[in-house]
Amino acid sequence: MKIQIKKNAKEMYIADNTDFEGNYFGNDQWEQVMEKIAGKVVEVDTEQLFKHEFNTKPIEGVAEEGIRVMEEYVEKVIDDIRKGKAHCEFCNETSDSDKVCTNCGRIDYLEPFVDEYEYEE
Ligand SMILES: [Zn+2]
């Protein structure tokens, strides 16, 4: 599973971290990270899955430990393995089914990672 970062990730980061008076409170290091990964395809660490964000695997020359990327910065998701899976709010685990939790068996606590209307490509 991979994500392609938006081409304007750095500009987005700067805009997100500038208040309405024009004061910049962002972090130079993050700004550089965003500049380096902008437009690139990076590998997702699928150990932990989220609905609105992604953990990446280490990115050579950018981040030795991988970084957290919010979905706003993602142009597209490639080979999304989250389809049909859900986060269970009861046991706090990833369920391999979005109908019944494959860990605790409950049905009322599942939050699908990908909403059904997003399935079409
Ligand atoms: Zn569960």
Side-chain angles (χ1 to χ4, degrees):
M1 175 175 173
K2 294 172 184 171
I3 47 174
Q4 181 171 21
I5 310 296
K6 285 184 178 168
K7 285 199 183 87
N8 61 340
K10 184 191 168 188
E11 290 73 18
M12 283 178 70
Y13 177 79
I14 292 171
D16 283 352
N17 290 283
T18 302
D19 69 16
F20 64 95
E21 288 181 324
N23 299 310
Y24 182 59
F25 51 90
N27 173 307
D28 287 348
Q29 204 182 332
W30 274 107
E31 204 182 302
Q32 285 169 18
V33 167
M34 289 303 168
E35 185 172 21
K36 284 180 186 164
I37 65 173
K40 297 229 167 77
V41 172
V42 297
E43 193 92 28
V44 173
D45 183 350
T46 55
E47 196 66 34
Q48 255 190 310
L49 297 169
F50 307 94
K51 189 172 169 73
H52 298 297
E53 53 198 54
F54 304 88
N55 280 346
T56 75
K57 289 189 174 168
I59 307 167
E60 215 185 317
V62 180
E64 280 172 30
E65 297 191 348
I67 53 171
R68 177 75 56 88
V69 178
M70 304 303 289
E71 70 176 353
E72 295 89 69
Y73 289 82
V74 174
E75 182 70 43
K76 74 176 175 192
V77 183
I78 301 156
D79 298 333
D80 196 342
I81 64 158
R82 300 173 306 163
K83 288 172 186 171
K85 297 185 181 181
H87 175 76
C88 178
E89 286 174 1
F90 188 86
C91 66
N92 208 26
E93 296 281 341
T94 293
S95 168
D96 291 330
S97 159
D98 60 4
K99 303 284 181 282
V100 55
C101 179
T102 51
N103 292 293
C104 70
R106 286 175 172 82
I107 57 172
D108 296 329
Y109 298 88
L110 295 175
E111 165 102 33
F113 288 119
V114 182
D115 295 319
E116 225 155 297
Y117 65 88
E118 292 179 79
Y119 276 46
E120 292 161 45
E121 286 178 11

